[in-house]
Amino acid sequence: MPDTRTLGLTLTSCGLVGVIATAYLGFSWAPLVDPEAWNAPEAYRILFWHVPFAWASFLAFCLLFIGAVSWYRKRTEWGWRLVVTGSELGLLFGLGVVISGPIWGSAEWGVPWDWGDLRLNTYGLLTAVALFLVLSRRTQPDGDDTRDTLAAVGLFGFALVPITALATTWYQNRHPGIVLVESEDTGLDPQIRMVLMLGFVSFLVLFVGLVTLSGTIQALEEELEGRQRMLDEGAIA
Amino acid sequence: MTGMVEAVVAYTLLSSLLATYVVRQIVLLNGLTSKLGESSSRGPEADSD
């Protein structure tokens, strides 16, 4: 499968270049926020990766949802591949959010985690669901029963996505609101917005690259298993 | 305290996370590609050893 391999590697490389550029511009070009309004004005630069990481994790959970529905409806192999890819990338980007959020929180709020905040807790649960899916897939024997169970857990995980995404609109406690949507009113600096947009595009390209790579790897694993099975059957016969 | 140290620490940790995953995927991909290549070139008799 040379085409998807090359495509995946190219998109991943381009995405990484954009992600690095986002970090560089976030530190060197984006202006400092008002030191009177923020406790740790430099720490806000974490958000140039934190927010796109969160968006990418939501995309991963969307893939997980589509895959789980497809698996339940028609037992399609591509549906299961989406479940695997979605859970892996959901864990990767979810961990990024769960790591960077508390670092920013401890600098800005003085505490890394607020157990009374709806978004923090639902997001933590979402990442825990992704961790459960990845670990279960690697430790349980692959079969329809295992896939049914994990797809069901994946559907439950997706139900948390809209709750987490809209948590700051419904019930804002500590976590800031939706940055870009509220920027018209709050007057987000154009340079900050531009770096954030570069981050979104770069992480989107990286995400598509990683999805392509994951799909290619799974296809190769299946091909290898298929060949092994044929050899085993030939040896028995 | 401006939070610059926290920002640098966060970016270091996230870079390591991303780099680890990307390298792991590339190593896995290259390993599988070479295994499939070996399996194709050796043929079924050699594979059954």
Side-chain angles (χ1 to χ4, degrees):
Chain A
M1 206 166 291
D3 290 336
T4 55
R5 182 177 188 271
T6 309
L7 180 68
L9 288 172
T10 308
L11 287 173
T12 303
S13 306
C14 292
L16 284 176
V17 169
V19 162
I20 292 166
T22 303
Y24 175 73
L25 291 174
F27 273 99
S28 64
W29 188 62
L32 196 65
V33 290
D34 182 9
E36 299 295 317
W38 297 70
N39 294 323
E42 294 281 5
Y44 97 94
R45 299 183 196 281
I46 293 171
L47 305 186
F48 292 122
W49 271 18
H50 175 83
V51 179
F53 257 83
W55 277 38
S57 73
F58 288 150
L59 283 179
F61 281 104
C62 288
L63 285 189
L64 177 59
F65 175 75
I66 294 167
V69 169
S70 168
W71 173 255
Y72 269 122
R73 285 193 62 198
K74 293 183 180 172
R75 290 277 195 273
T76 56
E77 198 57 38
W78 70 264
W80 179 247
R81 279 188 202 170
L82 280 187
V83 171
V84 172
T85 304
S87 56
E88 271 192 9
L89 293 181
L91 178 61
L92 170 73
F93 290 110
L95 273 180
V97 174
V98 170
I99 289 169
S100 58
I103 294 175
W104 179 77
S106 63
E108 181 62 29
W109 302 332
V111 287
W113 196 270
D114 181 354
W115 292 104
D117 189 286
L118 182 63
R119 174 173 274 190
L120 297 189
N121 293 314
T122 51
Y123 197 87
L125 188 57
L126 198 56
T127 308
V129 167
L131 178 65
F132 173 81
L133 289 174
V134 170
L135 291 180
S136 300
R137 194 181 73 82
R138 290 179 185 206
T139 52
Q140 300 302 309
D142 190 20
D144 284 358
D145 291 344
T146 304
R147 291 184 177 193
D148 285 346
T149 308
L150 297 186
V153 176
L155 288 177
F156 163 72
F158 183 77
L160 288 169
V161 170
I163 298 173
T164 307
L166 295 172
T168 52
T169 309
W170 294 338
Y171 174 81
Q172 184 165 351
N173 191 3
R174 221 187 250 272
H175 194 286
I178 303 170
V179 178
L180 286 182
V181 172
E182 292 183 0
S183 63
E184 297 293 326
D185 301 325
T186 54
L188 192 68
D189 188 282
Q191 282 172 295
I192 294 177
R193 192 186 305 181
M194 201 173 287
V195 179
L196 265 177
M197 292 312 295
L198 174 67
F200 288 140
V201 173
S202 305
F203 272 87
L204 184 63
V205 174
L206 176 65
F207 180 81
V208 175
L210 290 178
V211 169
T212 312
L213 279 186
S214 176
T216 309
I217 287 169
Q218 290 178 66
L220 290 175
E221 280 173 345
E222 274 169 32
E223 197 178 333
L224 203 58
E225 277 171 24
R227 285 190 191 183
Q228 191 61 50
R229 209 176 303 121
M230 278 172 59
L231 286 171
D232 290 346
E233 284 167 4
I236 290 167
Chain B
M1 187 186 72
T2 62
M4 184 53 100
V5 174
E6 283 86 349
V8 172
V9 168
Y11 274 93
T12 307
L13 290 175
L14 295 192
S15 308
S16 309
L17 183 70
L18 266 183
T20 305
Y21 183 75
V22 170
V23 169
R24 176 232 184 220
Q25 292 295 85
I26 291 171
V27 167
L28 202 55
L29 187 65
N30 287 340
L32 284 167
T33 308
S34 62
K35 266 187 193 173
L36 274 171
E38 279 173 25
S39 148
S40 303
S41 62
R42 284 191 308 180
E45 282 109 23
D47 268 347
S48 62
D49 290 343

